[in-house]
Amino acid sequence: KGLVESIIDALYLQGSTCPLDFIPVTVGCQSYMEPVFAVSLVDGDKEIGRIGRIKKDVLSAMGIKQPVYFFECDLHLLQDLPRKQKQFVAIPRFPMVKRDIALLVPEQVPAGELLESIRSRRTEHVESVDIFDVYSGKPIEEGMKSVALSVTYRSRKKTLDDVTVDRIHEKIVNSLMADFGGRYREGT
């Protein structure tokens, strides 16, 4: 989903009358799709495309051992979407500060929800958030996965000091641990 959102942003696309949205597919899944992981990209009531995961038995028949995700779309419908107006922003005057977060969270928690949680808070000085690693397996305990995020901080008015960034970063980490049942990943 994040990759498709990036493509939409890079092409400056937007919905015709309301924002483009992702909704779960409730009917009409293809035989090769896992219904639990099927999502439609829609513009109002018009389906533009689908994102999903290929069923394990289909992958096994092809000798593929890892999960495979796909995005299929109607290029004509995608091309007909209105474009956002390009906006130019001045180059930042003050330096950025990057901090990483590595948390263990229950395996069923989508990594994108951690991103969305940080973004939706609209915390002052948080410029961007990205996932750079998701891992489950040894030595991570059963039922858990490690999610590593990179947070970029910047002020438009001044250079941020470590104390300010540490305070904001700690609040973000604590809220993620409380909201998602996470804890710090210990290094080995």
Side-chain angles (χ1 to χ4, degrees):
K1 180 181 169 207
L3 183 59
V4 173
E5 288 172 329
S6 295
I7 292 168
I8 290 168
D9 287 344
L11 296 173
Y12 294 97
L13 298 175
Q14 63 183 359
S16 299
T17 57
C18 57
L20 293 173
D21 198 12
F22 293 91
I23 59 169
V25 174
T26 54
V27 293
C29 276
Q30 299 295 334
S31 60
Y32 58 85
M33 298 168 61
E34 287 193 33
V36 176
F37 295 98
V39 179
S40 287
L41 171 63
V42 295
D43 178 24
D45 60 353
K46 192 183 308 180
E47 185 178 61
I48 305 293
R50 286 191 176 181
I51 303 169
R53 187 164 87 177
I54 307 291
K55 286 184 176 178
K56 289 180 183 179
D57 59 334
V58 174
L59 296 173
S60 293
M62 292 187 259
I64 301 171
K65 296 179 181 171
Q66 68 269 5
V68 174
Y69 296 84
F70 68 91
F71 172 54
E72 61 184 9
C73 71
D74 183 324
L75 291 175
H76 294 290
L77 291 176
L78 197 66
Q79 178 182 335
D80 292 341
L81 290 172
R83 298 199 181 266
K84 295 178 192 171
Q85 200 64 11
K86 291 183 183 179
Q87 295 180 352
F88 295 94
V89 179
I91 296 173
R93 231 176 105 187
F94 299 101
M96 68 175 178
V97 177
K98 278 194 173 240
R99 296 283 166 83
D100 294 340
I101 303 170
L103 293 177
L104 291 177
V105 295
E107 205 163 69
Q108 68 271 16
V109 173
E113 284 189 16
L114 278 77
L115 271 182
E116 205 47 50
S117 173
I118 296 171
R119 289 177 179 158
S120 67
R121 293 175 196 274
R122 302 202 184 281
T123 305
E124 184 180 21
H125 304 311
V126 172
E127 185 175 83
S128 65
V129 185
D130 297 298
I131 296 173
F132 67 88
D133 187 44
V134 177
Y135 176 77
S136 58
K138 299 242 183 235
I140 307 295
E141 68 188 77
E142 186 83 21
M144 300 294 277
K145 66 181 172 186
S146 170
V147 178
L149 305 150
S150 180
V151 184
T152 303
Y153 300 92
R154 186 186 322 255
S155 171
R156 293 176 184 249
K157 299 176 185 169
K158 64 181 182 175
T159 299
L160 294 174
D161 59 31
D162 286 340
V163 173
T164 303
V165 174
D166 289 345
R167 184 178 37 81
I168 298 168
H169 192 73
E170 185 177 347
K171 283 182 184 177
I172 289 171
V173 171
N174 288 338
S175 68
L176 290 176
M177 289 193 294
D179 293 349
F180 297 100
R183 65 180 189 271
Y184 276 115
R185 179 177 148 193
E186 296 177 17
T188 54

